[in-house]
C-alpha cells in the first residue's frame, strides 16, 4: 500500500511537470512551422525542420542590437546591485543599532509595493529630472539601468543581510589586526564568503531584468535602444499576429536565460536558504 501511494505521488508530480512544460513545447514546436501548419494542428511536430523562421525573426527583431542592449542593461544592473547591496547589508549588520534596523525594515517593506502602483509617478519624476536637471533618464539605457538598480536593491539587501549574520565577526577582527582597512576587510574576507547569495541574486535578477517588459516599455521609446522583450512585440500587430515568427523570437529570447540558469542552478537553493536565516 505504501509503495502504491509513492507511485501515485510520483505519477502526480510527473503530470504536473508535463503541464508546466507543455507551453514550452508549444512554443518550440510551432517556431518551426509555417502559418498553414500552425493553424492546422498546433500540437503536431512540424513536417520539416528549418531555421528559416528563426532567420526571419532575427531580422525583424533586429536581434543582435536588441540582444546587445539587453546584455548591457542586465550585466551592468546586476553588477551594481551586487556591489551596492552587499556593502549596504554588511554595514547594516555590523552597525546593529536602531537606525540600521529601521533602514533594513524600509528595504524589506519596499519589496511588497507593486510596481504598477508607482510606475506613473516614477515616469513623472524621471521626466522632471530630464527636463529640469538635464540628465537623460528616459529613452536611455543608463536611465533604465538606474531604475533597475533601485528596484533590485531591496531583495538583494534582504538576502545578503541574512547570510552576513552567519559570518563570524572574529574573521574581520583578525584581518583588522593584520592591518586591513574596512575596504580590504569586506572585499578580501567578507565578500568571497557571500558567493552562494551572490549567485542567487544574479540568477533571480537575470531572469527578472532579461524578461522585463513593462519598465523598458515605459522608459524606452527609440527602436535602436529596445531590449529583447520589446523587440518581440513587433510580431504582434494591431490586426495580425505572425505566430510562427513570434514563437521563434520567444525561443531566442529564453535560450540565454536557460543556459545561465543551468550553469548556476546548484547555488540557488543554498543561497536562498542561507539568506532566510537569522533575520
Amino acid at each position: 500500500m505504501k509503495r502504491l501511494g509513492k507511485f501515485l505521488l510520483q505519477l502526480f508530480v510527473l503530470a504536473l511537470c508535463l503541464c508546466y512544460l507543455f507551453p514550452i513545447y508549444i512554443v518550440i514546436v510551432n517556431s518551426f512551422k509555417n502559418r498553414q501548419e500552425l493553424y492546422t494542428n498546433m500540437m503536431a511536430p512540424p513536417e520539416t525542420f528549418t531555421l528559416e523562421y528563426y532567420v526571419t525573426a532575427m531580422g525583424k527583431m533586429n536581434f543582435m542590437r536588441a540582444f546587445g542592449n539587453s546584455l548591457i542593461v542586465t550585466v551592468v544592473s546586476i553588477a551594481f546591485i551586487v556591489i551596492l547591496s552587499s556593502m549596504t547589508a554588511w554595514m547594516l549588520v555590523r552597525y546593529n543599532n536602531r537606525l540600521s534596523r529601521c533602514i533594513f525594515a524600509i528595504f524589506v517593506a519596499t519589496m511588497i509595493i507593486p510596481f504598477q502602483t508607482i510606475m506613473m509617478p516614477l515616469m513623472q519624476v524621471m521626466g522632471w529630472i530630464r527636463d529640469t536637471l538635464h540628465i537623460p533618464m528616459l529613452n536611455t539605457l543608463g536611465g533604465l539601468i538606474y531604475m533597475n538598480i533601485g528596484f533590485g536593491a531591496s531583495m538583494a539587501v534582504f538576502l545578503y543581510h541574512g547570510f552576513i549574520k552567519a559570518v563570524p565577526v572574529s574573521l574581520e577582527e583578525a584581518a583588522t589586526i593584520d592591518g586591513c582597512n574596512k575596504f580590504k576587510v569586506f572585499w578580501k574576507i567578507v565578500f568571497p564568503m557571500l558567493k552562494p547569495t551572490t549567485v542567487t541574486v544574479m540568477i533571480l535578477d537575470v531572469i527578472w531584468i532579461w524578461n522585463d517588459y513593462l519598465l523598458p516599455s515605459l522608459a524606452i521609446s527609440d527602436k535602436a535602444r529596445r531590449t529583447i522583450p520589446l523587440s518581440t512585440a513587433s510580431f504582434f500587430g494591431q490586426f495580425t499576429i505572425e505566430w510562427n515568427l513570434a514563437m521563434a523570437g520567444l525561443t531566442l529570447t529564453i535560450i540565454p536565460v536557460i543556459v545561465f540558469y543551468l550553469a548556476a542552478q546548484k547555488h540557488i537553493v543554498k543561497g536562498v536558504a542561507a539568506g532566510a536565516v537569522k533575520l
Side-chain angles (χ1 to χ4, degrees):
M1 189 67 180
K2 186 177 180 180
R3 294 181 61 183
L4 178 60
K6 186 177 181 180
F7 173 76
L8 292 176
L9 179 61
Q10 293 175 344
L11 194 63
F12 176 71
V13 172
L14 178 62
L16 287 180
C17 292
L18 292 176
C19 290
Y20 180 79
L21 294 174
F22 179 72
I24 300 177
Y25 166 81
I26 292 296
V27 170
I28 295 176
V29 165
N30 288 294
S31 66
F32 293 99
K33 296 180 181 180
N34 57 38
R35 299 185 70 176
Q36 181 180 354
E37 285 185 85
L38 191 149
Y39 288 121
T40 300
N41 187 354
M42 59 181 284
M43 301 283 295
E47 295 179 0
T48 58
F49 284 90
T50 174
L51 297 178
E52 174 188 354
Y53 305 113
Y54 281 87
V55 174
T56 304
M58 290 178 67
K60 189 165 184 178
M61 292 170 62
N62 198 358
F63 179 78
M64 296 309 299
R65 178 179 288 273
F67 180 86
N69 292 338
S70 288
L71 190 64
I72 291 171
V73 171
T74 303
V75 171
V76 177
S77 297
I78 291 175
F80 276 101
I81 289 172
V82 167
I83 293 172
L84 298 178
S85 298
S86 59
M87 295 171 66
T88 301
W90 181 57
M91 296 305 295
L92 291 177
V93 171
R94 293 297 178 247
Y95 291 92
N96 187 21
N97 51 40
R98 183 177 299 177
L99 178 60
S100 66
R101 290 193 293 269
C102 180
I103 294 174
F104 178 67
I106 293 174
F107 273 109
V108 174
T110 57
M111 293 172 60
I112 65 175
I113 300 175
F115 173 73
Q116 289 80 0
T117 63
I118 62 172
M119 62 182 185
M120 296 313 297
L122 175 67
M123 291 301 106
Q124 292 175 349
V125 171
M126 294 297 106
W128 179 86
I129 293 175
R130 177 195 59 191
D131 299 334
T132 305
L133 303 180
H134 304 291
I135 301 175
M137 300 302 295
L138 295 177
N139 201 27
T140 61
L141 298 182
L144 181 58
I145 291 170
Y146 178 81
M147 287 181 272
N148 283 334
I149 295 171
F151 286 112
S154 298
M155 183 192 66
V157 169
F158 173 76
L159 293 175
Y160 278 120
H161 191 276
F163 193 93
I164 290 173
K165 280 191 172 184
V167 177
V169 182
S170 57
L171 293 177
E172 301 175 26
E173 294 174 345
T176 303
I177 293 173
D178 289 340
C180 290
N181 55 29
K182 284 190 175 295
F183 184 83
K184 289 184 177 180
V185 167
F186 178 77
W187 289 111
K188 292 188 176 183
I189 305 299
V190 178
F191 189 75
M193 301 177 67
L194 303 179
K195 181 181 177 180
T197 304
T198 299
V199 174
T200 300
V201 171
M202 291 173 61
I203 291 172
L204 297 178
D205 285 344
V206 163
I207 296 173
W208 155 53
I209 296 174
W210 187 270
N211 294 322
D212 189 23
Y213 177 84
L214 184 54
L215 180 58
S217 68
L218 296 172
I220 302 295
S221 57
D222 190 351
K223 290 184 177 181
R225 296 184 176 92
R226 287 181 175 178
T227 58
I228 283 185
L230 291 182
S231 64
T232 57
S234 61
F235 302 117
F236 300 91
Q238 184 176 1
F239 302 105
T240 59
I241 299 178
E242 299 173 283
W243 283 110
N244 53 344
L245 298 181
M247 299 295 181
L250 293 173
T251 303
L252 292 170
T253 300
I254 63 176
I255 287 175
V257 178
I258 293 175
V259 171
F260 177 80
Y261 181 82
L262 292 177
Q265 64 175 337
K266 64 180 181 179
H267 299 282
I268 188 168
V269 174
K270 183 178 178 181
V272 171
V277 299
K278 297 185 179 180
L279 296 179

